Amino acid sequence: MNKSFKKIGVMTSGGDSPGMNAAIRAVVRTCAYHQVQCLGIYRGYQGLIEGDFKEMTPRSVNNIINKGGTVLKSARSQEFRTVEGRKKAYEQVKASGMEALVVIGGDGSFTGGMVFNEEFDFPVMGIPGTIDNDIYGTQFTLGYDTALNTVVDAIDKIRDTASSHNRLFFVEVMGRDVGHIALNAGIGAGAEEILIPEEDMGKDRLVESLKRSRKNGKSSSIVVIAEGDTTGENVFDLKDYVLQNMPEYEVRVSVLGHMQRGGTPSCFDRVLASRMGVKAVESLLEGKTNYMVGIQNNKMALCPLDKAVKGKTEIDTELLRVSDIVTI
Amino acid sequence: MNKSFKKIGVMTSGGDSPGMNAAIRAVVRTCAYHQVQCLGIYRGYQGLIEGDFKEMTPRSVNNIINKGGTVLKSARSQEFRTVEGRKKAYEQVKASGMEALVVIGGDGSFTGGMVFNEEFDFPVMGIPGTIDNDIYGTQFTLGYDTALNTVVDAIDKIRDTASSHNRLFFVEVMGRDVGHIALNAGIGAGAEEILIPEEDMGKDRLVESLKRSRKNGKSSSIVVIAEGDTTGENVFDLKDYVLQNMPEYEVRVSVLGHMQRGGTPSCFDRVLASRMGVKAVESLLEGKTNYMVGIQNNKMALCPLDKAVKGKTEIDTELLRVSDIVTI
Amino acid sequence: MNKSFKKIGVMTSGGDSPGMNAAIRAVVRTCAYHQVQCLGIYRGYQGLIEGDFKEMTPRSVNNIINKGGTVLKSARSQEFRTVEGRKKAYEQVKASGMEALVVIGGDGSFTGGMVFNEEFDFPVMGIPGTIDNDIYGTQFTLGYDTALNTVVDAIDKIRDTASSHNRLFFVEVMGRDVGHIALNAGIGAGAEEILIPEEDMGKDRLVESLKRSRKNGKSSSIVVIAEGDTTGENVFDLKDYVLQNMPEYEVRVSVLGHMQRGGTPSCFDRVLASRMGVKAVESLLEGKTNYMVGIQNNKMALCPLDKAVKGKTEIDTELLRVSDIVTI
Amino acid sequence: MNKSFKKIGVMTSGGDSPGMNAAIRAVVRTCAYHQVQCLGIYRGYQGLIEGDFKEMTPRSVNNIINKGGTVLKSARSQEFRTVEGRKKAYEQVKASGMEALVVIGGDGSFTGGMVFNEEFDFPVMGIPGTIDNDIYGTQFTLGYDTALNTVVDAIDKIRDTASSHNRLFFVEVMGRDVGHIALNAGIGAGAEEILIPEEDMGKDRLVESLKRSRKNGKSSSIVVIAEGDTTGENVFDLKDYVLQNMPEYEVRVSVLGHMQRGGTPSCFDRVLASRMGVKAVESLLEGKTNYMVGIQNNKMALCPLDKAVKGKTEIDTELLRVSDIVTI
């Protein structure tokens, strides 16, 4: 460790994701391990502006590793998008003695961190916390694995009830721009159809495909739809369209919503969070800044924040093929 | 046991509910225990008409006690509503040697059973299987306890994400005519507002109440809405109305849908199913007919089928009061 | 309400059980509802002696309804068993302005409460919090339903692996003096044998019964054993004995231990806790003292503390019979 | 695809692991996708010897993706270890028209496959199904992720009850030769101490470390012990030793046992199983033989069976360090 910070801050920003608390715990305890003080910043960048800080010790993060949500709370800050807002934040930071910052969040949170770094030359390190798994530079984001289990668990229950004939179940899952959750949870849940933003299936192909499923002997089908899918305007419109073309079916809709962002994190997410928290603090102590901690090939890896923000993740085409084959 | 049936049939009918398989298992094994053969009838009354029967032994119900859905499948039968349909069913029944019938289902299924009993003097015994807990003559229906846990588990996850300020979460749960699920799961989940068909809250009182919650220091609120609630036309319209009146809020909607009908049954539902299955078969063997097995004061009790069908369950007003107090 | 207390205290005492936090929340909020202050007492009677109190408001019990354990912590207190200890406690109580006490716990905790009531004429109300369901005067204790689900969930997983032949699984569950958990969870999990303290099965009858199961075509069997069962000295000795007599079997042992005392409470336990918390405070406000709140026939009911402590709960013999029949 | 098999067999062998059914489903459906017949082989190699085969179609694997255990059952076969046994198996295989074999299992199962391949030049492909994650050539084995969640979920419940002071919880988890489960689940559960076969901690260092934890302000501690840990003879002996040295503590033991091998597979394990099943069949169709399908850097990869069997997986030393830091 070639840097000797006295105080490091940690915040969560943007939408919650399971594992954020485990990451906070790891940041706080890694600081303590290296005799660095740790300041918890409440409500993200807004709390940075308002100086809403609290010193955190290893004992203040007892028993949070398994909690969903974030003990530091989260918020959007319009003010931090202004130069004045960021100046206020910097003054708070200086006043507190904070010398570096760990930001747990997604794209928007990292952009905020980069700007703050540029304007004040303030060391910043990102940890990708979002269920969408849409951050470049890491194979897995914090909370994604948990969200997949939540979706699969919900669809398992729905499938239990598919013992009547001629039932279609439409399940809307999160993913405005990316279909990672829909595709992976869809495969995991054995969904017959998976509609994602990256692929424009079209309503008619959906109907055709559902009819084919039925011919293949499937008495009921489950369709997983990412929010951002453009096949129908929304899941209820799509349902209506399908019903017009397959009037013999009963169609049922579930909109899972924010339950996907919460819940006890999976072991995978907790271990990932612990590793990322350690890596984030130690990277700062090694003098690195403006990076995001990621996981690549099961090892911790750093990715420059600007790449993480600008880069695009892509749907694995192998998975699309696997989905087609295993739902035959 | 003063009757000596040689063969008893068992079916599931209507919507699925967790615990139906456990009840099937108990019926099958109680038959075996009393040296009576057991015929599984597939797809409810439609299978009765079509003679879709299969002999079931204690081993054919191995490892189903913990499975959601129903291994006998379920279906609606228009044909059974006709005299001809029921005649066909009776012929199938005679041909198979079946001498009595256990029907696991809800109101509609029991009505079918009563008519069949009247027309052909055929012994029928009902087991209340529905998540809605809306059957007169039993304090708990099969699957209700499990559904409550499913709803509460979903809302727990939603609450985790309520760490941002000014968030409202609307969660639609099952209950077209009755609010048992909404009320009990709402209390269990600590929901700030619970909208049920039995009480017309009115949109404006909802808005007022939400504003009051905020004044009391709650940064976010969860509203549980039974499908059958008449406050708004549907949950999305209600959301729009609230947003107009509380524009500073973000409102998020979850429609849990059929996941409430599935899932591994709770221990409570499994034990209840086991007790009811034993009681149903033994009551038939004692010469009883046209009853439903229920639980009253933690003991098995019989209720005439017509009472079960016509009677109304009522919302416990103590619970409404408890809900008001504990969400202060 | 004919009493006008200004301050009521609440504590948890003895072993944890899921639902204690939900009960604390209900007590605190019911106090607030009736404009009574509420003091949280940490670490049970020991905290009473040490004056380890903290004022609790409706907001200080936010988001605890779904948490296992107890935010007030629990402890055993030798000192409270002495007259001097109790005097110190009474002085603390007086100094704090506390005028009545809600004790959430089991037998031992209630005995403490009774003595304190007798010696100082101090109003005490009990809430039965224990997973063992062994308190007279209530059909269900807080945490029992959750513990049953925990055990059943564990055994479901074990049963999944029973796809090999000739496997015996021994699962030790809690219940030193009473077999409620073993019996109900055993039925719920479809256990082939259930050993409880109330029934002395004897090792040899167990072996015979297991051999009979095998003859009946069961390729593997699960045996649930309450800690307090006296068939073998402990589960491992019992395993050895069975292996001597059935050497062709592989026997695997699970000792579930304290996981049964924790976990997110079920909806049933949360609603029960909420009702009991309201009832406890309102009973004190009605001038009642020295009672325990219980549930009887789905209604809240009071039972004198001395009866609750001295009375014995009994195993439901109907359940023993049901278990025999459904595992045929 | 340069091979044109008409019939491929699939079996599960050795200990169960969650995800095996999802892999069977994928194998069966990939065969159908490529117009190849699929034979399910019951009870592993013993079923191969006895010709216990059944043709499987896409519909015969409906609704098994989420089931623990294996629908093909599993068994150990002494007979297959003999030349005669394997000859019988080969004759059955020939008689059935089977031309290639997918073996889902661990080390021992792969060894059997290799020998069969060598002796009869029969195409074999392995899929690593074991919760231990101890197979060389794949970063994750089927069932490992699920087992981690099972362990972490159990320990979360135990931790809930750690609200009393001076409590030690010892939790024995699977892992006779390798500590992957103990180490990862230990980190995920926030265990204060993790004892694994790869590291000889020694009883005295354990005691010291527990005493240090207490000094650091931890009121209770959780110790995760892999079965194969050599610190104590077994977890109960170890408990006794610790109690002698820390008599002020209450120590509680949980032995999780076979619940770790069962349960609904996680989404991760289901997707992995689906990918591996597709890859296994398609690799055979490409003319490959004597390989195991693995996952490396999130991509499917083949590893020669002999390497998979002989190679050793190693504990990630980064994780040991992370564990030390985050439990400070």
Side-chain angles (χ1 to χ4, degrees):
Chain A
M1 310 294 141
N2 41 21
K3 272 279 181 181
S4 54
F5 293 127
K6 292 212 190 69
K7 227 178 242 183
I8 291 179
V10 58
M11 67 159 70
T12 49
S13 166
D16 301 68
S17 77
M20 281 187 162
N21 281 327
I24 293 168
R25 170 180 178 267
V27 167
V28 169
R29 292 188 171 176
T30 310
C31 284
Y33 185 85
H34 291 291
Q35 269 100 40
V36 178
Q37 274 190 298
C38 187
L39 284 187
I41 300 154
Y42 284 83
R43 295 177 296 118
Y45 290 112
Q46 193 57 38
L48 202 67
I49 291 172
E50 301 175 12
D52 194 358
F53 308 153
K54 190 173 158 189
E55 198 186 321
M56 301 190 85
T57 68
R59 292 295 70 73
S60 59
V61 290
N62 275 0
N63 298 326
I64 68 169
I65 192 170
N66 61 335
K67 300 289 185 283
T70 154
V71 294
L72 291 177
K73 297 189 183 294
S74 188
R76 300 239 167 87
S77 173
Q78 288 303 327
E79 204 177 346
F80 195 76
R81 290 168 185 259
T82 65
V83 182
E84 295 73 35
R86 291 192 296 272
K87 265 191 194 157
K88 280 195 213 166
Y90 185 66
E91 282 154 24
Q92 294 284 7
V93 154
K94 281 279 121 182
S96 73
M98 196 192 301
E99 293 166 300
L101 177 62
V102 177
V103 177
I104 307 169
D107 271 20
S109 312
F110 293 164
T111 304
M114 275 198 301
V115 174
F116 196 64
N117 173 268
E118 276 167 38
E119 291 179 352
F120 306 102
D121 193 28
F122 197 80
V124 171
M125 190 64 53
I127 290 178
T130 164
I131 62 167
D132 292 326
N133 207 32
D134 60 347
I135 309 269
Y136 184 87
T138 187
Q139 286 174 332
F140 300 101
T141 56
L142 278 188
Y144 172 60
D145 184 66
T146 304
L148 292 181
N149 284 332
T150 296
V151 173
V152 153
D153 184 51
I155 302 182
D156 279 356
K157 290 186 169 66
I158 291 170
R159 186 176 293 282
D160 278 343
T161 76
S163 56
S164 307
H165 286 279
N166 299 340
R167 282 263 177 99
L168 289 177
F169 296 94
F170 282 29
V171 183
E172 188 189 279
V173 302
M174 285 193 164
R176 224 172 276 280
D177 306 307
V178 289
H180 296 294
I181 290 180
L183 179 55
N184 279 271
I187 292 176
E192 278 71 18
E193 305 294 338
I194 301 170
L195 307 186
I196 55 176
E198 290 87 344
E199 264 207 334
D200 189 359
M201 194 188 206
K203 298 177 189 182
D204 295 318
R205 267 182 57 207
L206 174 64
V207 170
E208 270 169 53
S209 184
L210 288 170
K211 289 185 173 171
R212 199 165 45 239
S213 267
R214 200 186 173 182
K215 249 194 234 157
N216 286 347
K218 299 207 172 187
S219 60
S220 61
S221 288
I222 290 172
V223 182
V224 172
I225 302 162
E227 282 172 314
D229 169 67
T230 56
T231 305
E233 281 175 39
N234 73 36
V235 66
F236 291 97
D237 295 341
L238 188 59
K239 171 194 127 170
D240 290 343
Y241 185 82
V242 169
L243 261 183
Q244 280 166 29
N245 287 276
M246 306 176 75
E248 73 280 17
Y249 272 83
E250 285 182 62
V251 189
R252 298 282 180 260
V253 174
S254 292
V255 176
L256 299 187
H258 269 60
M259 60 185 279
Q260 296 165 82
R261 291 203 188 280
T264 295
S266 66
C267 185
F268 185 95
D269 275 330
R270 298 183 196 189
V271 174
L272 184 58
S274 301
R275 295 170 75 181
M276 285 180 164
V278 171
K279 181 71 176 178
V281 172
E282 298 199 333
S283 296
L284 283 170
L285 293 177
E286 285 163 5
K288 306 244 171 56
T289 180
N290 239 2
Y291 284 95
M292 179 193 78
V293 176
I295 183 166
Q296 298 285 6
N297 195 13
N298 212 14
K299 297 257 167 280
M300 289 294 100
L302 295 183
C303 170
L305 273 182
D306 61 339
K307 274 199 178 178
V309 168
K310 284 182 209 144
K312 278 275 156 209
T313 60
E314 273 171 32
I315 282 291
D316 188 339
T317 52
E318 180 214 333
L319 287 182
L320 291 171
R321 198 168 166 267
V322 164
S323 173
D324 280 350
I325 294 175
V326 296
T327 54
I328 198 173
Chain B
M1 310 294 139
N2 42 20
K3 272 281 182 179
S4 56
F5 293 127
K6 292 214 191 67
K7 227 179 242 182
I8 291 179
V10 59
M11 69 160 70
T12 49
S13 168
D16 301 68
S17 77
M20 282 187 161
N21 281 326
I24 294 169
R25 169 181 179 268
V27 168
V28 169
R29 291 187 172 177
T30 310
C31 285
Y33 185 85
H34 290 291
Q35 268 101 39
V36 179
Q37 274 190 296
C38 187
L39 283 187
I41 299 154
Y42 285 82
R43 295 176 296 120
Y45 289 112
Q46 193 56 37
L48 201 69
I49 292 172
E50 299 176 13
D52 193 359
F53 308 154
K54 190 173 158 189
E55 199 186 324
M56 299 190 86
T57 68
R59 292 294 71 72
S60 59
V61 290
N62 275 359
N63 299 327
I64 68 168
I65 192 172
N66 61 335
K67 299 288 186 285
T70 154
V71 295
L72 291 177
K73 297 188 182 296
S74 188
R76 302 239 166 85
S77 172
Q78 289 303 327
E79 207 178 343
F80 196 76
R81 291 167 185 258
T82 68
V83 183
E84 295 74 35
R86 292 192 295 272
K87 265 194 193 154
K88 279 195 212 166
Y90 186 66
E91 282 154 24
Q92 293 284 6
V93 154
K94 281 279 122 181
S96 74
M98 196 192 303
E99 293 166 301
L101 177 62
V102 178
V103 177
I104 308 168
D107 270 20
S109 312
F110 292 164
T111 304
M114 276 197 302
V115 175
F116 196 66
N117 173 269
E118 278 167 37
E119 290 180 352
F120 306 102
D121 193 28
F122 196 81
V124 171
M125 191 62 54
I127 291 178
T130 164
I131 62 165
D132 291 328
N133 206 32
D134 60 347
I135 310 268
Y136 184 86
T138 188
Q139 286 174 331
F140 301 100
T141 56
L142 277 188
Y144 172 60
D145 183 66
T146 304
L148 292 181
N149 284 331
T150 296
V151 173
V152 153
D153 183 50
I155 302 182
D156 280 356
K157 289 185 169 68
I158 291 170
R159 187 175 293 282
D160 278 343
T161 76
S163 56
S164 305
H165 286 279
N166 299 340
R167 281 263 176 97
L168 289 177
F169 296 94
F170 282 29
V171 183
E172 187 191 280
V173 303
M174 285 192 164
R176 224 172 276 279
D177 306 308
V178 289
H180 296 295
I181 290 179
L183 180 54
N184 279 272
I187 292 175
E192 277 72 18
E193 305 294 337
I194 301 171
L195 307 185
I196 56 176
E198 290 87 345
E199 263 206 336
D200 190 358
M201 193 190 209
K203 297 178 192 183
D204 295 318
R205 266 183 56 211
L206 174 64
V207 170
E208 270 169 53
S209 185
L210 288 170
K211 288 184 174 172
R212 198 164 48 239
S213 267
R214 199 184 174 183
K215 248 194 237 159
N216 286 346
K218 299 208 171 186
S219 59
S220 61
S221 288
I222 289 172
V223 182
V224 171
I225 302 161
E227 281 172 314
D229 168 68
T230 56
T231 305
E233 282 176 37
N234 73 36
V235 65
F236 292 96
D237 294 343
L238 188 59
K239 170 194 127 170
D240 290 343
Y241 185 82
V242 169
L243 261 184
Q244 280 166 29
N245 288 276
M246 305 174 78
E248 73 279 18
Y249 272 83
E250 284 182 62
V251 188
R252 298 283 179 258
V253 175
S254 291
V255 177
L256 298 187
H258 269 60
M259 59 184 281
Q260 296 165 83
R261 290 202 187 281
T264 295
S266 67
C267 185
F268 185 95
D269 276 328
R270 298 183 197 189
V271 173
L272 183 59
S274 301
R275 295 170 74 180
M276 285 180 163
V278 170
K279 181 71 176 177
V281 171
E282 297 198 333
S283 297
L284 284 169
L285 292 177
E286 284 162 7
K288 306 244 173 52
T289 180
N290 238 3
Y291 284 96
M292 178 194 77
V293 177
I295 183 165
Q296 299 284 7
N297 196 13
N298 211 15
K299 296 257 167 281
M300 289 293 100
L302 295 183
C303 171
L305 273 182
D306 61 339
K307 273 199 179 178
V309 167
K310 283 182 211 143
K312 278 275 157 210
T313 58
E314 274 170 33
I315 283 291
D316 188 340
T317 52
E318 180 215 335
L319 287 182
L320 291 173
R321 196 167 169 271
V322 164
S323 173
D324 279 351
I325 294 174
V326 295
T327 54
I328 198 174
Chain C
M1 310 293 139
N2 42 19
K3 270 281 182 180
S4 55
F5 292 127
K6 293 213 191 68
K7 226 178 244 182
I8 291 179
V10 58
M11 68 160 71
T12 49
S13 165
D16 301 69
S17 77
M20 282 186 161
N21 281 325
I24 294 168
R25 170 181 178 266
V27 167
V28 169
R29 292 188 171 176
T30 309
C31 285
Y33 184 85
H34 292 290
Q35 269 100 38
V36 178
Q37 275 191 296
C38 186
L39 284 186
I41 300 153
Y42 285 82
R43 293 175 299 120
Y45 290 112
Q46 193 57 36
L48 201 68
I49 292 172
E50 300 176 13
D52 193 358
F53 308 154
K54 191 175 157 186
E55 199 186 323
M56 300 190 86
T57 69
R59 291 295 71 73
S60 60
V61 289
N62 276 359
N63 299 326
I64 69 168
I65 192 172
N66 61 335
K67 300 288 186 284
T70 155
V71 295
L72 290 177
K73 295 188 183 297
S74 187
R76 302 238 168 86
S77 173
Q78 288 304 326
E79 205 178 343
F80 195 77
R81 291 166 184 258
T82 67
V83 182
E84 294 74 35
R86 291 193 295 273
K87 265 192 193 156
K88 279 195 211 167
Y90 184 65
E91 282 154 24
Q92 294 284 4
V93 154
K94 281 279 124 184
S96 73
M98 196 192 304
E99 293 166 300
L101 176 63
V102 178
V103 177
I104 308 168
D107 271 19
S109 313
F110 293 164
T111 304
M114 277 198 300
V115 175
F116 196 66
N117 173 270
E118 278 167 37
E119 292 180 351
F120 306 101
D121 193 27
F122 196 80
V124 170
M125 191 63 53
I127 291 179
T130 162
I131 63 167
D132 291 328
N133 206 33
D134 60 347
I135 309 269
Y136 183 86
T138 187
Q139 285 174 333
F140 301 101
T141 55
L142 278 187
Y144 172 59
D145 183 66
T146 304
L148 292 181
N149 284 331
T150 297
V151 173
V152 153
D153 183 52
I155 302 182
D156 279 356
K157 289 185 170 67
I158 291 170
R159 187 175 292 283
D160 278 342
T161 76
S163 56
S164 306
H165 287 279
N166 298 340
R167 281 262 177 99
L168 289 176
F169 296 94
F170 283 29
V171 183
E172 187 190 279
V173 303
M174 285 193 165
R176 221 171 279 279
D177 306 308
V178 290
H180 296 293
I181 290 180
L183 180 54
N184 279 270
I187 292 176
E192 278 72 18
E193 306 294 337
I194 301 170
L195 307 185
I196 55 176
E198 289 89 344
E199 264 206 335
D200 189 359
M201 193 188 209
K203 297 178 191 182
D204 295 318
R205 266 183 58 209
L206 174 64
V207 170
E208 271 169 51
S209 185
L210 288 170
K211 288 184 173 171
R212 197 164 48 240
S213 269
R214 198 186 175 182
K215 250 195 235 159
N216 286 347
K218 300 207 171 188
S219 59
S220 61
S221 289
I222 290 172
V223 183
V224 172
I225 302 162
E227 282 172 314
D229 169 68
T230 54
T231 305
E233 283 175 36
N234 73 37
V235 65
F236 292 96
D237 293 342
L238 189 58
K239 170 194 127 171
D240 289 343
Y241 185 81
V242 169
L243 260 184
Q244 281 166 29
N245 288 276
M246 305 175 77
E248 72 280 18
Y249 273 83
E250 284 181 61
V251 189
R252 298 282 179 258
V253 174
S254 292
V255 176
L256 298 187
H258 269 59
M259 59 184 280
Q260 295 165 84
R261 290 203 188 279
T264 296
S266 67
C267 185
F268 184 96
D269 275 329
R270 297 183 197 190
V271 173
L272 184 59
S274 300
R275 295 171 75 181
M276 286 180 163
V278 171
K279 182 70 175 177
V281 171
E282 297 198 333
S283 297
L284 284 169
L285 293 177
E286 285 161 5
K288 307 243 172 55
T289 180
N290 238 2
Y291 284 96
M292 178 194 77
V293 177
I295 183 166
Q296 297 284 6
N297 195 13
N298 212 14
K299 297 255 167 281
M300 289 294 99
L302 295 183
C303 171
L305 273 182
D306 61 338
K307 273 199 179 178
V309 168
K310 282 182 211 142
K312 277 275 156 210
T313 60
E314 272 171 33
I315 282 292
D316 188 340
T317 52
E318 179 215 335
L319 287 182
L320 291 172
R321 199 170 166 267
V322 164
S323 173
D324 279 350
I325 293 175
V326 297
T327 53
I328 198 173
Chain D
M1 310 291 140
N2 43 20
K3 270 284 182 179
S4 55
F5 292 128
K6 294 212 190 68
K7 225 177 245 181
I8 290 178
V10 59
M11 68 158 72
T12 49
S13 166
D16 301 68
S17 77
M20 282 186 161
N21 281 326
I24 293 168
R25 170 182 179 267
V27 167
V28 169
R29 292 187 170 176
T30 310
C31 285
Y33 184 85
H34 291 291
Q35 269 100 40
V36 178
Q37 276 190 297
C38 186
L39 284 186
I41 300 154
Y42 285 82
R43 295 176 296 119
Y45 289 113
Q46 193 58 36
L48 201 69
I49 291 171
E50 299 175 14
D52 193 358
F53 309 153
K54 191 173 158 189
E55 198 185 323
M56 300 190 86
T57 70
R59 292 294 72 72
S60 60
V61 289
N62 276 359
N63 298 328
I64 68 169
I65 193 172
N66 61 334
K67 300 287 185 287
T70 156
V71 295
L72 291 177
K73 296 187 185 295
S74 188
R76 301 241 166 86
S77 173
Q78 289 302 326
E79 206 178 343
F80 195 77
R81 291 167 184 259
T82 66
V83 183
E84 296 73 36
R86 291 191 297 271
K87 265 192 193 154
K88 279 194 213 168
Y90 186 66
E91 281 154 24
Q92 294 284 6
V93 155
K94 281 280 123 182
S96 72
M98 195 193 303
E99 292 166 301
L101 176 62
V102 177
V103 178
I104 307 168
D107 271 18
S109 312
F110 292 165
T111 304
M114 277 199 299
V115 174
F116 196 64
N117 173 270
E118 276 167 38
E119 291 179 353
F120 306 102
D121 194 26
F122 196 80
V124 170
M125 191 64 54
I127 290 178
T130 164
I131 62 166
D132 291 326
N133 206 32
D134 61 346
I135 310 270
Y136 184 87
T138 188
Q139 284 174 332
F140 300 101
T141 57
L142 279 187
Y144 172 59
D145 184 65
T146 304
L148 292 182
N149 284 331
T150 297
V151 173
V152 153
D153 183 52
I155 302 181
D156 279 357
K157 289 185 169 69
I158 291 170
R159 186 175 294 282
D160 277 344
T161 75
S163 56
S164 305
H165 286 278
N166 298 339
R167 280 263 176 98
L168 288 178
F169 296 94
F170 282 28
V171 184
E172 188 190 279
V173 302
M174 284 194 166
R176 223 172 277 280
D177 306 307
V178 288
H180 296 294
I181 290 179
L183 179 55
N184 279 272
I187 292 175
E192 277 72 18
E193 305 293 337
I194 302 171
L195 307 186
I196 55 176
E198 289 89 343
E199 264 206 334
D200 191 358
M201 192 188 209
K203 298 177 189 183
D204 294 318
R205 267 183 57 209
L206 174 64
V207 170
E208 271 169 52
S209 184
L210 289 169
K211 289 185 173 170
R212 198 164 47 238
S213 269
R214 199 184 175 184
K215 250 196 235 159
N216 286 346
K218 301 207 172 188
S219 60
S220 60
S221 290
I222 291 173
V223 183
V224 172
I225 303 163
E227 282 172 314
D229 169 68
T230 55
T231 305
E233 280 176 39
N234 73 36
V235 65
F236 292 96
D237 294 342
L238 188 58
K239 170 193 125 170
D240 290 343
Y241 185 81
V242 169
L243 261 183
Q244 281 166 29
N245 288 276
M246 304 175 77
E248 72 280 18
Y249 272 84
E250 283 183 62
V251 189
R252 297 284 179 258
V253 174
S254 292
V255 176
L256 298 186
H258 269 61
M259 59 183 281
Q260 297 166 84
R261 291 201 187 281
T264 296
S266 67
C267 185
F268 184 95
D269 275 330
R270 298 182 196 191
V271 173
L272 183 60
S274 301
R275 295 170 76 180
M276 285 180 165
V278 171
K279 181 72 175 176
V281 172
E282 297 198 333
S283 296
L284 284 169
L285 292 177
E286 284 163 5
K288 305 245 171 55
T289 181
N290 238 2
Y291 284 96
M292 179 194 78
V293 176
I295 184 166
Q296 297 284 7
N297 195 11
N298 212 14
K299 297 255 166 281
M300 289 293 100
L302 296 182
C303 169
L305 274 182
D306 61 339
K307 273 199 179 178
V309 168
K310 283 182 210 143
K312 279 275 158 208
T313 59
E314 273 171 32
I315 283 291
D316 188 339
T317 52
E318 180 214 335
L319 288 181
L320 291 172
R321 197 168 166 269
V322 164
S323 173
D324 279 350
I325 294 175
V326 296
T327 53
I328 199 175

